[in-house]
């Protein structure tokens, strides 16, 4: 597929007000309950992260079983964040953790038995070596490309805090069916502007965001955790509107994933 199927407009004529209300209600409403989200219950996990990175550890989903059997794999996409307590905690509990961050000093660094840092940025396209400008981005790759290069078939948890690149990355994961290789998604989403390379007027942008999240639902992902970050500016597409925060943390579980 070349593009995500857009959902019908929220109202008979396109309206930012209706689109925003539908979208904000959607990202604020859990679709499935998860009783065990506290990492402190895991062996080896002590410190709490500065941010609410919530994963579902209920027995009915595979993650807790894969952690216990030391078969769990976490990919973390970030940009120069010093808050890596979630990653360290997951590594201490026996997960194989790969953190991708273009700002680290060496190409690959291993810290401890289970934690790797890679000087790579995850993008929604691979660089084209024939285009001069793309040569600057040789450390930039699609997630599907990295999975192939690393020989990884599955990721138990994909955590992403990529400062507004998340919409196009999510679109790429959906269009290339990479999302089906992922057990849980924990994404920080930013809604103070459309995001990198997302175009259109405001109502079109919100309809696109909503359509992406509905695509996740069609692929059996269910939202089990939603956090509105009130420490961030209260902005929605550059406006102080809809009582929205500019940043939400959302967690989904792939209910089909075994």
């Amino acid at each position: 597929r070349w593009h995500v199927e857009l959902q019908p407009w929220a109202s008979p004529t396109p309206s930012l007000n209706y689109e925003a209300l539908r979208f904000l209600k959607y990202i604020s409403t859990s679709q499935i309950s998860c009783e065990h989200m506290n990492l402190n219950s895991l062996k080896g996990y002590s410190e709490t992260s500065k941010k609410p990175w919530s994963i579902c550890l209920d027995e009915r989903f595979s993650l807790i079983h894969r952690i216990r059997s030391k078969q769990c794999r976490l990919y973390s996409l970030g940009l120069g964040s010093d808050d890596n307590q979630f990653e360290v905690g997951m590594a201490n509990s026996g997960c194989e953790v790969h953190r991708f961050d273009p700002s680290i000093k060496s190409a690959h660094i291993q810290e401890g038995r289970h934690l790797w840092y890679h000087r790579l940025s995850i993008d929604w396209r691979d660089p084209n070596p024939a285009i001069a400008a793309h040569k600057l981005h040789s450390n930039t790759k699609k997630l599907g490309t990295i999975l192939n290069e690393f020989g990884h078939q599955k990721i138990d948890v994909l955590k992403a805090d990529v400062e507004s690149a998340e919409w196009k990355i999510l679109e790429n994961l959906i269009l290339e069916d990479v999302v089906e290789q992922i057990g849980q998604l924990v994404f920080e989403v930013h809604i103070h502007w459309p995001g990198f390379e997302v175009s259109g007027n405001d109502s079109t942008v919100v309809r696109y965001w909503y359509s992406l999240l509905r695509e996740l639902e069609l692929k059996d992902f269910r939202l089990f955790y939603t956090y509105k970050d009130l420490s961030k500016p209260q902005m929605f597409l550059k406006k102080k509107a809809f009582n929205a925060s500019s940043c939400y943390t959302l967690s989904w579980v792939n209910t089909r994933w075994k």
Side-chain angles (χ1 to χ4, degrees):
R1 287 195 297 164
W2 289 97
H3 58 85
V4 164
E5 199 73 33
L6 290 175
Q7 292 289 319
W9 291 100
S11 53
T13 52
S15 147
L16 175 60
N17 194 47
Y18 280 104
E19 293 304 320
L21 292 174
R22 175 174 71 171
F23 171 76
L24 289 167
K25 182 182 179 190
Y26 194 82
I27 65 169
S28 303
T29 310
S30 296
Q31 298 168 327
I32 196 169
S33 66
C34 177
E35 289 179 31
H36 305 285
M37 293 185 283
N38 190 344
L39 285 174
N40 294 337
S41 63
L42 293 177
K43 190 173 164 228
Y45 197 93
S46 55
E47 287 188 272
T48 49
S49 180
K50 294 174 196 169
K51 285 189 178 175
W53 304 113
S54 288
I55 51 178
C56 189
L57 299 167
D58 285 5
E59 296 284 339
R60 62 192 164 132
F61 300 123
S62 65
L63 181 58
I64 186 63
H65 305 287
R66 291 174 68 83
I67 290 173
R68 285 179 190 144
S69 61
K70 304 285 191 274
Q71 293 180 306
C72 146
R73 180 179 293 128
L74 164 72
Y75 271 30
S76 168
L77 320 183
L79 295 166
S81 168
D82 57 354
D83 178 15
N84 65 349
Q85 289 165 321
F86 176 78
E87 289 80 358
V88 169
M90 291 292 278
N92 287 345
S93 64
C95 278
E96 174 191 329
V97 176
H98 297 272
R99 179 156 172 84
F100 298 90
D101 183 340
S103 70
I104 66 166
K105 294 182 176 62
S106 302
H108 303 283
I109 301 171
Q110 184 173 357
E111 260 186 29
R113 280 178 56 199
H114 301 292
L115 180 57
W116 286 264
Y117 291 87
H118 307 281
R119 190 174 59 206
L120 283 168
S121 175
I122 307 296
D123 203 353
W124 50 94
R125 67 211 146 186
D126 287 326
N128 181 342
I131 299 173
H134 282 201
K135 287 182 182 165
L136 300 171
H137 303 290
S138 57
N139 286 348
T140 298
K141 292 176 180 174
K142 293 189 296 192
L143 188 67
T145 303
I146 287 179
L147 281 169
N148 288 336
E149 288 181 2
F150 283 26
H152 293 161
Q153 301 297 315
K154 290 184 170 184
I155 307 169
D156 292 278
V157 181
L158 176 66
K159 172 199 165 209
D161 180 5
V162 287
E163 308 300 340
S164 301
E166 64 274 359
W167 298 111
K168 293 299 283 185
I169 289 173
L170 190 57
E171 180 186 60
N172 169 254
L173 298 183
I174 290 166
L175 292 178
E176 297 192 351
D177 294 326
V178 176
V179 76
E180 290 164 14
Q181 295 169 255
I182 300 168
Q184 297 192 22
L185 292 169
V186 188
F187 268 54
E188 193 168 272
V189 300
H190 303 85
I191 59 175
H192 57 290
W193 70 295
F196 292 107
E197 294 194 24
V198 177
S199 57
N201 63 25
D202 286 354
S203 54
T204 304
V205 165
V206 183
R207 181 193 186 199
Y208 164 75
W209 290 345
Y210 175 72
S211 299
L212 279 180
L213 301 188
R214 285 300 303 273
E215 284 272 347
L216 283 180
E217 195 180 336
L218 291 170
K219 290 187 177 284
D220 295 303
F221 280 83
R222 296 292 178 267
L223 188 66
F224 66 85
Y225 178 81
T226 165
Y227 172 78
K228 179 181 179 179
D229 191 344
L230 294 173
S231 71
K232 297 285 174 74
Q234 307 293 288
M235 297 292 283
F236 187 89
L237 292 176
K238 303 182 181 173
K239 305 176 186 67
K240 288 197 169 184
F242 307 110
N243 193 27
S245 169
S246 58
C247 178
Y248 290 74
T249 306
L250 306 174
S251 298
W252 294 265
V253 59
N254 183 345
T255 56
R256 243 193 332 193
W257 218 66
K258 296 290 180 277

